[in-house]
Amino acid sequence: DSERRPAHAGTMKLKNGLTQASQSRLAATRYGGARAPAAKRLTSGPLTLMTVGGIMGSGLYLASGAAIHLAGPAIIIAFAIGATVMALEVSALAEMAAADPARGSFLAFARHVLGPGPAFIGGWIFWVSSILNLAAEATAGAIFTRLWFPSVPVYVFSMGYAALIVAINFLPVKNFSHVESLMSLTKVAVTALFIVVGFIVVLHVLPVPGPVGPALWRRDGGFFPHGATGVAAAMVLVLFSMSGTGVLGLAAPDVRHPERTMGPTIRNTVLAIYVLYVGASLVMTALVPWRHIPTTSMSPFITALRVVPWPPAAVIFNLVILVAVLSAMNAGLFATNRVLATLGRLHDAPPFVSRGPEDVPRMANLLTGAGLIAVSGLAYLLPKTAYLYLVTSTGFQALFVWLLIVATELFFRPKLAAEGKSLRFRMPFFPMSSIIAVILILAIIATAPLAPHELVALGIGVGVTGAAALIYLPVRAGRRRAEAR
């Protein structure tokens, strides 16, 4: 029972001699996060880099092409709206993480505030969503690789990359955060360079054949070729591209002075996402007519870079985003395995899934890996549409998780006040900002009928949620019988 207590109790019972730093490390491991270093040394700069790097993945580098086909040049507005919703969600998460950094995971916050039921459902939605997300990343990596090997089927590379990442996660991971920080810096720097080069071309400082610039926005139906409906239909893909915000909570136990760190981190993260996402969409739609941008056959960034009169640019960028996607897969599987192991320790999953040392949860990796490799093989059955179905399914389930995070925060602040605890970072304009976030997330979920492929994805999301709720009913009944004995 002492193993289960930290996830729903307000405080953690410490063993004799256990320091505050040790408490944070233990909590991070139990709540699904990585094991924290011995001293709290994360400041705003590294934490911002980790958060931005966790957000930027195949959603930006590949799914943005499909989003552009739905919204046209108005994808710029869709990314701006998406960044605003992301800012509200990540602010809610940061408020809880700063107030109670030992918990870290959003599941621990939900269990503490809303009870074991929502946390159980949220945990399983997260696990299924993570498998779909990782499979989408593997498929994206396969699509990027086909730039060099166009005759090899997508599923060969997608299943191969999935198997490779699963194998890596059976090994003890050293200097994990350093590698991920380096990859995050590389992604951010290369994307920023893409935007700078793009603006140089658009401003005709670097001449290129053919028309470029805002003139392209007036072609093929203008800036809003499908009206506001097109922008709304693209929002699930846009939010999917910004869904990797959970690293902020998982890193909380290692943050130095959260009362001074979280504010700048949120501001810097939101600013970076606005600049990188909106800037990239400006450049892409100003270099290539939106109808000529590929959906899922190639990165739209590569298509845009082919306008630049330097052929190696596209190849180098393709290599960078391939490595970045594989790195994101490794980080994602690393966290997902630990969440599944935590569910086992909390008896929200069969206890055997938590077998193995805490730094290498082998049974969790085996089960998650088997699911990942199997789902990555979806490209065998649907070679042209597998990626789109995976990202939209992940997008809806990520929105359900965001909804749980914001709903938790709405009740978390009053609970803290009742417990006599102070907030180290406050979500601005509470509770109105949280209520607006809930409304926007529900509105985006309601856009499913606007794009035919999204109805299937919404059905999967609702089905997973419903299945988790039904499974919880006998779990709750069993716990009540055990308590009554």
Side-chain angles (χ1 to χ4, degrees), residues 188-233:
V188 171
V190 171
T191 305
L193 182 61
F194 168 83
I195 295 171
V196 171
V197 171
F199 275 112
I200 290 174
V201 173
V202 169
L203 295 174
H204 303 287
V205 176
L206 180 64
V208 297
V212 294
L216 295 183
W217 297 345
R218 296 191 290 270
R219 295 184 175 184
D220 297 324
F223 191 76
F224 288 94
H226 301 132
T229 300
V231 175

Side-chain angles (χ1 to χ4, degrees), residues 150-162:
S151 61
V152 179
V154 172
Y155 75 89
V156 173
F157 284 118
S158 63
M159 295 183 74
Y161 286 143

Side-chain angles (χ1 to χ4, degrees), residues 93 96-97 100 103-113 408 412:
L93 181 60
M96 295 185 290
D100 197 353
R103 294 182 188 274
S105 168
F106 77 93
L107 294 177
F109 298 134
R111 180 177 287 268
H112 179 56
V113 176
T408 301
F412 188 77

Side-chain angles (χ1 to χ4, degrees), residues 307-333:
V307 175
V308 179
W310 190 51
V315 176
I316 293 172
F317 192 92
N318 195 66
L319 178 61
V320 169
I321 60 177
L322 171 61
V323 175
V325 162
L326 295 179
S327 175
M329 282 184 66
N330 190 42
L333 185 58

Side-chain angles (χ1 to χ4, degrees), residues 275-290:
V275 171
L276 294 173
Y277 279 62
V278 175
S281 60
L282 277 168
V283 168
M284 285 188 286
T285 55
L287 291 181
V288 182
W290 68 269

Side-chain angles (χ1 to χ4, degrees), residues 98-159:
D100 197 353
R103 294 182 188 274
S105 168
F106 77 93
L107 294 177
F109 298 134
R111 180 177 287 268
H112 179 56
V113 176
L114 302 180
F120 178 96
I121 296 170
W124 283 106
I125 291 175
F126 177 85
W127 186 72
V128 174
S129 174
S130 294
I131 289 180
L132 295 176
N133 180 47
L134 292 169
E137 298 290 332
T139 305
I143 291 171
F144 298 153
T145 306
R146 293 187 79 233
L147 181 70
W148 304 298
F149 304 99
S151 61
V152 179
V154 172
Y155 75 89
V156 173
F157 284 118
S158 63
M159 295 183 74

